[in-house]
Amino acid sequence: MLNTRQKEAATFGHGPLLILAGAGTGKTNTLAHRVAHLLLSGTAPERILLLTFSRRAAQEMTRRAQRIVAESVKEVRLPWSGTFHAIGNRLIRSHAQRVGLAPGFTVLDRGDAADLVDVLRHELGLSKTEKRFPRKDTCLAIYSHRVNTQGSLADTLQSVFPWCAEWEEPLARLFRLYVERKSSIQALDYDDLLLYWRAMMEDEALAAEIGELFDHVLVDEYQDTNVLQGEILARLRPGGQGLTVVGDDAQAIYSFRAATVENIRSFPDRFGASVVSLEDNYRSTQPILDAANALVGKSLVSRKGAGEKPRYVTVADDAAQASYVVTKVLENREKSIPLRRQSVLFRSSHHSDVLELELVRRNIPYVKYGGLKFLEAAHVKDLLAVLRWADNPKNRVAAWRTLQLLPGVGPATAASCFTRFETSGWEALSPLDAGLSGLLESVTVPEAPWAGQVARVREWYAPHLERLYEEAQVRAGDLEQLEKISAQFDSRERFLTELALDPPSATGDLSGAPHLDEDYLVLSTVHSAKGQEWDAVYVLNVADGNFPSEFATGRADLIEEERRLLYVAMTRAKTSLDLLAPVKYFVTQQSRMGDRHVYGAKSRFLTGEVMKHLEAIAWSDETTTRHRHSRGTNVVDVAAKLRSMW
């Protein structure tokens, strides 16, 4: 059932529409009902373009729409649903020759793009400058921010990377060479998919051709779009007809990815759009919403009713913070709130370090999101490099990584081998590794079936995995998982492209082994928690320097984004919310002086108006306090114990 505002949005006509959906107000359900309404009103599924920010979100939207229309329509498939980048990839491949590309171009993932930047840094001599030149990941981040904001390189350096400002001219040279090299190897990076799509839409004839494919364009999480995405939509639907966007300006937290909150704020004026606001919250109790509303000036009303006040808990230090969280987690577990329905949220991934040690000590299983991703693991990248080279023989980055897996092969040998390969083909690899030569030659013939290719590469890679890495058996399990994922795709190109565009969160995300237990606590950065919800939420380090981050101070727009980030964290909670504030933080020093501490200042976001809706608690733990007071005073003669073993 939809409430009045949700129904108004779902059944809206063909004009431009902004659905301003507050946290927990049924955004996904409303958008799915709008899709279903369009289908039941006669719009063909293939005439609907649904743009989301993850493949999982697109699948969930389609699944809900299918369920809604199941009684009237037997089967619904939305062929044009996916992320901006995935849809861009499809459109570019459809018109590849008109934009100077071969249909079989490669999509570089972030890691491969950074590796290519690194190669070019070396070629330009920028890795041996007198002063330290930015590393490859920083260079790629600068490039990405500049192209997605469509500002100047100087603006990007001044506003986001001021410590790199002195390198403006060398960076410009690097980025020019980066663009040229990608073109020569027929490769696009993640950002190119939007750049090429936008360039296609600048051609009047091509823009009309693409625009005529769709009657309706629906965009989820519109507050997370960047300038390029906003321009693509404007050219796709110049008059706004059939355009629906959904989002919440109070949850715009991705400016570091070049997202701009101005897209959603300017949408009504830009397109002459109607606005439907959703303010009935189905997730949280009213006391939690009262505190969140006071934080950002919203008016969300709970459909769940009353509940306990959220708590603002001051603790002695990070060790006491960890002890408090574990104590409350176990108490809630005894109150029939499973671990997996509780979450600990934090501003930065390393903020949970002390807590993780305590969880291990107390034998509490957990999973952590926002750390190392599955596809960032070296052994997974090794196997994918072999497949990427097979898919695009011009892919020098993949070739470079593959060749250096071989014993005794370094950069110089890999470079000369690739040069021979360019003239002689796969046979040029035989002197180095006949097995690799035969493998690549067999999987690149046009008639070679996709099924079984990952298994064959795994078999070739197995001895190299054992030679190169510790815990080879555990890593081999990751590659088995990758093989299972590959079976979901009908071609090597689709498999590699989808992994680059929307990588899965899998084994590499896990800390500990929660899969061995029927229950586990969720640890997550706030950014990774967006869109999720739990019965009980604990937010760590709610103090100035973390909320807001010390890196945001000095810029009013970043401070406001930090405020929205805390709002997102608070509105993940259904019934129980704890904001933790350590009085002091211990900082490990490199010198002989040992550890020191710094005092945490109260978060500037917790104004008197917000604090009225919080229960203030000062919590102490005698065990933790004794441990902290004894820090550095007890000497354990470990060497003597070790000697006594022999």
Side-chain angles (χ1 to χ4, degrees), residues 526-546:
V526 181
H527 286 99
S528 295
K530 190 165 173 287
Q532 305 298 312
E533 60 184 31
W534 294 273
D535 289 347
V537 169
Y538 314 86
V539 187
L540 303 186
N541 300 333
V542 183
D544 257 30
N546 295 308

Side-chain angles (χ1 to χ4, degrees), residues 204-218:
E204 194 172 319
L206 194 49
E209 189 177 327
I210 293 173
E212 288 171 2
L213 292 172
F214 312 110
D215 293 329
H216 287 271
V217 178
L218 301 96

